[in-house]
Amino acid sequence: MLDKYKSSVVYQIYVKSFCDSNGDGIGDLNGIRSKLQYIKSLGVKYIWLTPFFCSPMIDNGYDVSDYRNINPMFGTMADCEALIREADDIGIGLMFDMVFNHTSDEHEWFKKALTGDPEYMDYYIFRDGREEGKPPVDWTASFGGPAWDYVPSLNKWYLHQFDPKQPDLNWENPKVREELKNVIRFWKNKGVKGFRFDVLNLISKPESFTNQPSGSATRCCKDGRHVHEFIKELVADTGIADMITVGEMASTTIDNVIRYSSPASNELSMCFSFHHLKVDYLNGDKFALMPPDMNMLHDVFRDWQEKVADGGGWNAVFWCNHDQPRIVSRFGDEGQYWKQSAKMLGTFVHLLRGTPYIYQGEELGMTNGHYTGIKQYDDVEAINYYNILLKRGSTESEALNVLANRARDNSRTPMQWNDGKFAGFSSSGAWLDIPENYKSINVEAEERDNDSILNYYRKLVILRGQFRIIADGAVKFIDTGNAKVLAYERTLDGERLVVVCSFSGKEENLPVMLEGDVLIGNYPDRAEVLRPYEAVAVIKY
């Protein structure tokens, strides 16, 4: 029997930015409850919610201080239980986001560790410095700065791969693993249907800490020596093997993704990997701009689609999430071909082999925020790197231009529901500035337009449920001879589906013979050439 997650689509909600029910300018659980019928209309089967647990919100909830309680800014446990129940009533399962690589420094475990309690110090990774004033090794954190922080009262350093207020947990300690299993059991018993695990491939640290050429803590910790056995143990002991599970895997490899997601491994349903979203990083630096390398984009998708399939693994396929700029601003066209390019990008991802994820507002073609001042930004990474860029010699204008293209706040702007005040997100304001184009890009406007991006996404979701070739067919990429035209074929039981997508703003030659019936396309008719940002999928029985 086909696994349900293969024919399903997941909708990601960034809770803080989805819908504000109480007028405080912050999205909340009751706001999500009020929009469940809209989410149902998309045809998705799961909702992934970003963390809404107790947190000081240094990293917008990815710094958890209590895994079993709700941050009051988002609601109450009763609200959460009602959301789980009401979503289940309309056939939608909730996936909760588990941040298990690290906690907040305000978690009770870390507070006890800071008192010198040896039991709780062993919940984290404390080490002696190499010499006075120097950390154990010269690793850098993902948000900038060193990956070790000094605690004078203990004369020890602790590891944090992200912010100093996000100390890494010590998964080598069986007590830590049991604590985290109990968190999964707690939410599973409340009716949660799946789990997304944040930066899961970073949980197993090296046996010894040594300086590495890259200097990056995450590169030194990724896909560590015990990571697979830790995941197997977590899944087996909590009984979630039959639930939808996805691991966010930082800078991982194809071989590891196959191991993480192959049914034979008894680990996860699927993995997020991000190599396709680094093709516009100059020299691999997220905060150094360059045009997308389309040849690289083709090669990454070809390798990850074909090789993961050959190994029996499964990908989560996506363009957008709460950590990535809006894809239509990045690889599409915000201007003349906004609608066509947004539809093309959706077509490309949704017909791939893997489970598609829609990030809130992606189905509307929402764009980057286009902020003009540093005070408009909220994200700790954006603010840190703004200052780093200035120290490196960038002008204020240059640094702001980088953030306008790369900052995570670009995806975290509030959901655009209508053209009224505050875009229908809230009655009184918004915690993050709303892009000015909300008056034309919003749910109500697109509901009225039969040719809207929103209605096109609904068709894509329906197709995955209707056609097994999309859900479970083999995949092979086609060499088009044109870096701006990507094409692939899906095959199953004698059927053949060919998908051609142009990432170009001008006409391009059609690289393959398209025989059969048009399954979906973003232009109303067929042509002998590919028009700007055209996408067409043709099926032959």
Side-chain angles (χ1 to χ4, degrees), residues 173-464:
N173 183 346
K175 291 181 180 178
V176 169
R177 301 201 299 274
E178 194 61 31
E179 294 269 21
L180 299 177
K181 291 173 197 173
N182 285 333
V183 172
I184 294 293
R185 294 174 182 128
F186 177 85
W187 289 113
K188 181 184 174 188
N189 288 339
K190 287 190 177 290
V192 174
K193 296 298 192 294
F195 296 95
R196 182 262 190 189
F197 295 98
D198 186 61
V199 292
L200 189 61
N201 66 325
L202 303 182
I203 59 175
S204 177
K205 309 307 190 281
E207 186 171 6
S208 60
F209 296 104
T210 57
N211 285 319
Q212 301 291 331
S214 74
S216 164
T218 58
R219 291 186 184 178
C220 296
C221 295
K222 70 182 180 71
D223 304 318
R225 58 205 169 103
H226 296 309
V227 66
H228 292 284
E229 63 190 81
F230 288 161
I231 295 173
K232 286 177 191 286
E233 178 186 312
L234 179 73
V235 170
D237 290 358
T238 56
I240 60 172
D242 294 331
M243 299 171 68
I244 183 171
T245 54
V246 56
E248 179 192 29
M249 304 301 184
S251 301
T252 190
T253 64
I254 290 172
D255 288 343
N256 273 299
V257 162
I258 291 169
R259 288 186 65 187
Y260 290 130
S261 63
S262 168
S265 296
N266 297 312
E267 296 186 32
L268 303 171
S269 307
M270 66 193 80
C271 297
F272 287 116
S273 59
F274 299 89
H275 297 75
H276 64 295
L277 294 173
K278 299 178 181 180
V279 300
D280 53 358
Y281 291 7
L282 182 61
N283 298 320
D285 182 352
K286 173 180 177 179
F287 291 92
L289 306 181
M290 72 175 220
D293 183 332
M294 297 305 297
N295 284 314
M296 186 186 297
L297 188 70
H298 169 271
D299 292 348
V300 168
F301 272 113
R302 178 198 62 207
D303 290 349
W304 283 78
Q305 281 284 296
E306 295 179 7
K307 292 178 181 178
V308 170
D310 290 344
W314 194 255
N315 287 306
V317 291
F318 68 101
W319 286 121
C320 299
N321 63 32
H322 61 286
D323 286 335
Q324 298 293 331
R326 291 288 182 177
I327 198 63
V328 73
S329 301
R330 190 172 182 181
F331 292 167
D333 180 351
E334 292 186 3
Q336 181 179 359
Y337 299 111
W338 163 72
K339 184 181 286 190
Q340 291 89 342
S341 64
K343 290 180 179 181
M344 179 277 292
L345 291 161
T347 306
F348 182 83
V349 159
H350 279 255
L351 300 183
L352 286 170
R353 183 180 184 275
T355 299
Y357 284 67
I358 300 171
Y359 177 67
Q360 64 181 51
E362 181 181 357
E363 77 276 19
L364 306 177
M366 280 179 59
T367 69
N368 283 348
H370 299 294
Y371 294 158
T372 57
I374 190 60
K375 290 184 178 179
Q376 291 180 282
Y377 289 92
D378 173 85
D379 181 38
V380 59
E381 182 189 56
I383 295 167
N384 285 352
Y385 268 93
Y386 175 78
N387 292 316
I388 288 170
L389 290 168
L390 294 182
K391 287 178 182 177
R392 289 177 181 172
S394 296
T395 66
E396 182 178 334
S397 176
E398 289 168 341
L400 287 171
N401 181 55
V402 171
L403 295 192
N405 285 277
R406 289 286 189 267
R408 301 190 299 180
D409 284 331
N410 283 305
S411 61
R412 299 175 181 184
T413 59
M415 182 72 171
Q416 295 166 199
W417 294 102
N418 57 45
D419 63 0
K421 199 172 185 181
F422 308 119
F425 163 73
S426 173
S427 61
S428 63
W431 72 278
L432 196 62
D433 285 354
I434 299 169
E436 294 180 3
N437 58 22
Y438 79 87
K439 292 194 174 180
S440 57
I441 302 176
N442 62 71
V443 171
E444 284 190 7
E446 298 204 24
E447 291 280 16
R448 296 191 295 266
D449 177 7
N450 290 332
D451 189 43
S452 67
I453 298 166
L454 171 59
N455 284 314
Y456 191 87
Y457 263 77
R458 286 172 171 151
K459 293 175 186 175
L460 289 169
V461 175
I462 290 170
L463 289 176
R464 177 162 288 266

Side-chain angles (χ1 to χ4, degrees), residues 13 15-16 18-24 26-37 39 49 52 70-86 94 417 425:
I13 288 178
V15 180
K16 194 175 182 181
F18 192 64
C19 183
D20 169 21
S21 70
N22 60 5
D24 65 358
I26 295 171
D28 49 48
L29 297 176
N30 284 334
I32 298 169
R33 290 173 64 194
S34 74
K35 300 296 185 181
L36 281 175
Q37 288 303 318
I39 299 168
L49 299 178
F52 50 86
I70 311 303
N71 189 328
M73 73 167 59
F74 297 129
T76 65
M77 183 61 76
D79 298 332
C80 180
E81 291 168 344
L83 176 58
I84 294 169
R85 182 177 62 252
E86 291 167 15
L94 293 189
W417 294 102
F425 163 73

Side-chain angles (χ1 to χ4, degrees), residues 36-160:
L36 281 175
Q37 288 303 318
Y38 168 76
I39 299 168
K40 181 182 179 182
S41 79
L42 299 175
V44 301
K45 297 301 181 186
Y46 297 96
I47 299 171
W48 155 26
L49 299 178
T50 56
F52 50 86
F53 313 116
C54 289
S55 166
M57 301 297 284
I58 297 299
D59 190 21
N60 274 306
Y62 283 87
D63 49 323
V64 180
S65 58
D66 186 342
Y67 291 104
R68 292 183 180 86
N69 280 301
I70 311 303
N71 189 328
M73 73 167 59
F74 297 129
T76 65
M77 183 61 76
D79 298 332
C80 180
E81 291 168 344
L83 176 58
I84 294 169
R85 182 177 62 252
E86 291 167 15
D88 190 55
D89 287 345
I90 60 172
I92 295 176
L94 293 189
M95 296 173 61
F96 280 11
D97 204 329
M98 297 289 107
V99 188
F100 282 174
N101 175 71
H102 49 266
T103 69
S104 165
D105 65 345
E106 295 187 17
H107 197 288
E108 66 170 323
W109 302 338
F110 195 71
K111 288 180 178 179
K112 290 178 179 179
L114 291 182
T115 69
D117 184 329
E119 179 180 359
Y120 285 95
M121 285 184 70
D122 196 37
Y123 272 43
Y124 297 89
I125 300 169
F126 284 91
R127 293 291 186 272
D128 293 327
R130 283 172 295 171
E131 54 190 85
E132 188 169 346
K134 291 192 175 182
V137 290
D138 293 326
W139 288 355
T140 56
S142 290
F143 292 166
W148 296 88
D149 216 51
Y150 182 61
V151 182
S153 62
L154 301 175
N155 193 26
K156 298 279 187 183
W157 299 75
Y158 68 86
L159 176 66
H160 58 87

